Amino acid sequence: MAGMCRYIAHNAQVVIAQVDFRLGPEYPAPAQVEDCVEAYKWGNPEKYFSIGSSLGGGAAVAVTLKLLDENLGDSVKGIVALAPALLHPWNVPEEYKGIFKAYEEAWKGAPMQDGESMVVFYGK
């Protein structure tokens, strides 16, 4: 990730703050999102892009949703989520709907991603 951040910073002529967020299982969610929101508050909110890959891709979306909840969403200029673990609850393939219960069990209030958030993120 550090190499990608350097590449983006150099080619886009921007400043990037790479957040070394706490990891589980020692630090369960939403510690990762909280660390990223703190970095947002430290940085320049007028030029904020939420960027991440893998777990960080999911965190990039979760941070943006948290900022929206705190009425700070207008400052987010974009999201770059590379290979995030995101799935709209209505796009689960038919053969998996019987066993895919994650959003039913965590429709609202899950620490990083819940069904309600995915509807907000992807739209109806």
Side-chain angles (χ1 to χ4, degrees), residues 37 77 120 124:
V37 169
K77 303 304 179 205
V120 170
K124 296 180 181 182

Side-chain angles (χ1 to χ4, degrees), residues 44-67:
N44 184 347
E46 296 303 313
K47 298 179 179 181
Y48 185 79
F49 275 75
S50 191
I51 302 172
S53 64
S54 190
L55 172 63
V61 174
V63 168
T64 301
L65 291 168
K66 176 93 171 138
L67 294 173

Side-chain angles (χ1 to χ4, degrees), residues 102-119:
Y103 288 130
E104 289 177 31
E105 295 167 359
W107 180 253
K108 184 175 177 79
M112 287 186 67
Q113 172 185 335
D114 59 24
E116 184 179 60
S117 297
M118 290 301 92
V119 171

Side-chain angles (χ1 to χ4, degrees), residues 49-111:
F49 275 75
S50 191
I51 302 172
S53 64
S54 190
L55 172 63
V61 174
V63 168
T64 301
L65 291 168
K66 176 93 171 138
L67 294 173
L68 285 167
D69 286 346
E70 295 181 8
N71 294 317
L72 298 170
D74 289 343
S75 63
V76 178
K77 303 304 179 205
I79 303 171
V80 179
L82 304 170
L86 303 173
L87 178 65
H88 192 290
W90 297 329
N91 290 336
V92 175
E94 196 62 44
E95 65 265 25
Y96 298 111
K97 286 185 179 182
I99 61 171
F100 188 83
K101 302 292 183 189
Y103 288 130
E104 289 177 31
E105 295 167 359
W107 180 253
K108 184 175 177 79

Side-chain angles (χ1 to χ4, degrees), residues 8-21:
I8 293 169
H10 175 76
N11 290 289
Q13 298 297 299
V14 296
V15 175
I16 292 188
Q18 183 178 353
V19 180
D20 188 16
F21 53 75

